[in-house]
Amino acid sequence: MTDFSTPIQFGELKLKNRVVMAPLTRSRASVDRIPTAMMAEYYAQRASAGLIISEATVISEAANGYEKTPGLFSDAQVEGWKNVTHAVHAKDGLIVAQLWHVGRVSHPDLLQGATPVSASEVKQAGYVSLLRPKREYVVPRPLAISEIKAIVEEYKQAAIRAKVAGFDGVELHAANGYLIDQFLQTSTNTRTDCYGGSVENRVRFLLEVVDVLIEVWGAGRVGVHLAPRGDEHDMGDDAPRETFGYAMQELGKRQIAFFFTREYLADDSISLEMKARAQGVPYIANMRLSREDALDLLRSGQAEAVSFGKAYIANPDLYERLVQDEELNELNLEHMIGTDVAAGYTDYPFLNKQLLES
């Protein structure tokens, strides 16, 4: 019977178990977006996961929406990531880089005065995350077609750098209301050119980026991260089953390594419908999963792997705790984001101290 410890092959990626560490923004990089030694320790501590998906990593300085998130657009950043990937591989772990452009989820104060870009001129409701004093999001500037092509190339260059940095593959962040999601969903895409209107046009940007990632890595080392519920950053789609179903149909044709959905289990969830159209592409389930939920998904074959976020922040040995059905550490909310100290980052206790020293 399939359970947490059952190995699986995702394309060219051989996972030693079915527990995946979700991408988690922690804002621990340098001001130049270079991964630090503390980040290498943090990821190495969690290398017993079947797969680590790195925190979201910007493909250019213009792609950012948060301070001190890491990048993959400079040689210094590549060198910093090498320390991370080497540390994970030394612990027999597997790690892919999540590539990211936030689009309108930014502010001129984070972009040297430039206006954030998006699919269309649709302002996001609410206030910019983490900037103080609080300030509202601004109306974004729609990307010209030539700019879209340039961003596709930036994704390709980031994928090349990820390979140099020693990652095992890449995952495209196309979820949570960031740039590619802004093209996918009707609430943020009101374009009338070849990137707007029909579902085929709205999915075009996603597929163009996936295709260049495949050029660099091969389909068997490329994953895609989607959020069909549209419950982050003021998103929404008129027909999510059609939009995300078509996206998965096209990704299935490309036989990518895996797809990951951030969608909690509910009667209106559509991830399993997406899986049905994915032509055998492995599915990683995520969001608010209990241990029992995760086992049910694996044992029933509804998901090939299960992923955890906050639980992995607080439990570097989460895989072992799930297998043994052990109590989990309490999450330190005070130090979730952006500090330069080990507290709440690399100081969470292991069940067995030997795991930390092995």
Side-chain angles (χ1 to χ4, degrees):
M1 178 184 294
T2 299
D3 59 21
F4 294 125
S5 59
T6 307
I8 190 170
Q9 192 83 23
F10 282 5
E12 298 299 318
L13 302 171
K14 186 175 182 179
L15 280 64
K16 59 191 174 186
N17 61 61
R18 304 292 181 102
V19 179
V20 174
M21 178 178 168
L24 295 157
T25 292
R26 306 299 304 279
S27 296
R28 271 10 189 243
S30 74
V31 293
D32 296 323
R33 306 192 183 280
I34 300 169
T36 62
M38 190 163 59
M39 287 173 60
E41 179 184 1
Y42 165 79
Y43 281 109
Q45 287 178 345
R46 290 152 178 80
S48 62
L51 175 67
I52 294 172
I53 304 175
S54 84
E55 62 204 274
T57 301
V58 291
I59 60 171
S60 70
E61 188 59 41
N64 98 82
Y66 306 84
E67 295 176 336
K68 299 178 71 174
T69 53
L72 264 171
F73 56 89
S74 76
D75 292 343
Q77 291 160 1
V78 169
E79 292 304 309
W81 276 120
K82 281 182 181 179
N83 295 330
V84 175
T85 61
H86 291 169
V88 170
H89 293 153
K91 296 283 189 178
D92 193 32
L94 199 64
I95 182 168
V96 299
Q98 189 187 63
L99 304 182
W100 190 32
H101 192 308
V102 307
R104 70 174 185 169
V105 189
S106 191
H107 190 275
D109 290 350
L110 296 167
L111 300 172
Q112 298 182 331
T115 301
V117 298
S118 186
S120 303
E121 202 173 22
V122 180
K123 178 183 175 181
Q124 178 178 326
Y127 295 92
V128 182
S129 298
L130 306 179
L131 281 184
R132 297 295 180 269
K134 285 187 176 183
R135 63 214 79 176
E136 292 185 356
Y137 289 101
V138 301
V139 177
R141 178 178 64 79
L143 286 164
I145 289 178
S146 61
E147 293 177 303
I148 295 170
K149 302 300 184 184
I151 289 173
V152 172
E153 180 61 24
E154 288 177 344
Y155 274 107
K156 182 176 182 179
Q157 293 305 312
I160 292 169
R161 290 185 183 277
K163 182 173 282 191
V164 176
F167 283 98
D168 298 294
V170 291
E171 186 198 58
L172 175 61
H173 196 339
N176 299 0
Y178 296 119
L179 183 61
I180 292 177
D181 207 14
Q182 291 160 31
F183 276 77
L184 288 176
Q185 299 200 43
T186 54
S187 66
T188 45
N189 187 340
T190 61
R191 301 175 74 99
T192 56
D193 60 13
C194 64
Y195 288 95
S198 69
V199 64
E200 293 84 2
N201 284 353
R202 286 182 284 111
V203 174
R204 188 184 306 276
F205 184 30
L206 164 69
L207 298 178
E208 287 181 348
V209 176
V210 168
D211 286 343
V212 298
L213 301 184
I214 290 172
E215 283 181 34
V216 175
W217 280 96
R221 292 185 181 273
V222 173
V224 173
H225 194 102
L226 296 161
R229 192 170 291 282
D231 55 356
E232 281 281 315
H233 292 125
D234 194 26
M235 296 299 295
D237 189 78
D238 292 339
R241 283 178 166 81
E242 178 186 6
T243 297
F244 290 95
Y246 176 77
M248 279 316 308
Q249 173 187 303
E250 296 304 303
L251 293 171
K253 290 177 182 177
R254 289 157 171 80
Q255 285 297 289
I256 60 172
F258 64 88
F259 79 101
F260 178 120
T261 63
R262 179 190 173 278
E263 184 186 48
Y264 58 82
L265 300 175
D267 291 342
D268 61 348
S269 300
I270 66 171
S271 291
L272 294 182
E273 296 176 41
M274 294 166 63
K275 176 177 167 60
R277 298 185 66 174
Q279 302 178 50
V281 173
Y283 165 47
I284 302 174
N286 172 262
M287 198 173 180
R288 303 182 193 171
L289 295 178
S290 67
R291 180 179 187 275
E292 293 70 28
D293 290 336
L295 281 172
D296 286 347
L297 288 168
L298 293 174
R299 290 171 176 171
S300 65
Q302 293 180 85
E304 280 67 46
V306 289
S307 180
F308 298 87
K310 290 180 181 178
Y312 249 122
I313 291 176
N315 299 274
D317 55 351
L318 180 64
Y319 165 69
E320 290 82 3
R321 290 175 188 258
L322 290 172
V323 169
Q324 299 170 39
D325 195 13
E326 293 283 353
E327 185 177 353
L328 302 186
N329 293 326
E330 185 176 346
L331 185 64
N332 181 340
L333 293 173
E334 182 182 355
H335 293 99
M336 282 267 292
I337 300 290
T339 69
D340 294 320
V341 298
Y345 192 59
T346 56
D347 68 335
Y348 285 104
F350 286 69
L351 273 174
N352 181 348
K353 191 171 184 292
Q354 289 181 343
L355 290 172
L356 180 59
E357 298 171 347
S358 65

